[in-house]
Amino acid sequence: HQDDEGTRLALIVDRAALETDTDVLSQQGQQSVFGQTILTQSMVAADEQHRHRVSAEWTASPDSWVDDWTMRAYHQTSQTEQETIEQRATLIGGTLQNPTRRDRLFRFDQRVSGLDLLGKREAKWGNADHHWTIGASIQQGGVAGLRDGSSTNLTTGATST
């Protein structure tokens, strides 16, 4: 909304979601790990990301020592979840032994809220243009994360975390 005096009020709502499925081909095949030959037969991943943001912005051009004022309040949350499943076995003497399935999970949640105030002033003194900016910003946020995983022996069914 904008009135005739140059005052503007805007409300912005933004939402994003992204899902990605990946077959990690670069990790497949033989590799030497601590003197053992490991054959990674498959590695797949599923990633999800979600973000929500709401902001309100007020802009005014009052008759004062500042040409323009802008005030913005906002709140944003984001969540990321990554899941990886790997099947591998140890290669000993040309025979696959100890076939294993590894499940990995990573979650990352973030939130941030804030308030910004910005004032601008332009002036001309002599042959020079001067641009001044004054402002303040307050922000509060938090982060939470979880890493989890398990390994299952496909021969015995034994699981460890």
Side-chain angles (χ1 to χ4, degrees), residues 48-52 77-81 107-110:
E48 288 187 32
Q49 296 174 324
H50 300 276
R51 182 176 63 89
H52 302 89
T77 60
S78 63
Q79 299 84 31
T80 300
E81 183 172 304
R107 287 192 184 129
F108 180 78
D109 298 329
Q110 185 178 24

Side-chain angles (χ1 to χ4, degrees), residues 76-96:
Q76 177 175 306
T77 60
S78 63
Q79 299 84 31
T80 300
E81 183 172 304
Q82 300 171 325
E83 183 178 10
T84 305
I85 300 170
E86 175 186 15
Q87 288 195 328
R88 63 192 279 177
T90 305
L91 189 61
I92 299 175
T95 305
L96 291 177

Side-chain angles (χ1 to χ4, degrees), residues 55-128:
S55 64
E57 184 174 290
W58 169 80
T59 304
S61 300
D63 270 341
S64 70
W65 60 275
V66 176
D67 295 330
D68 292 307
W69 281 111
T70 300
M71 183 171 25
R72 179 181 305 115
Y74 57 90
H75 179 74
Q76 177 175 306
T77 60
S78 63
Q79 299 84 31
T80 300
E81 183 172 304
Q82 300 171 325
E83 183 178 10
T84 305
I85 300 170
E86 175 186 15
Q87 288 195 328
R88 63 192 279 177
T90 305
L91 189 61
I92 299 175
T95 305
L96 291 177
Q97 297 183 16
N98 196 27
T100 306
R101 174 185 162 128
R102 291 178 158 189
D103 294 275
R104 301 287 183 256
L105 177 65
F106 172 62
R107 287 192 184 129
F108 180 78
D109 298 329
Q110 185 178 24
R111 66 171 174 71
V112 63
S113 300
L115 179 66
D116 299 329
L117 178 63
L118 183 68
K120 296 179 185 176
R121 173 76 179 183
E122 295 182 14
K124 185 172 182 94
W125 289 347
N127 292 330

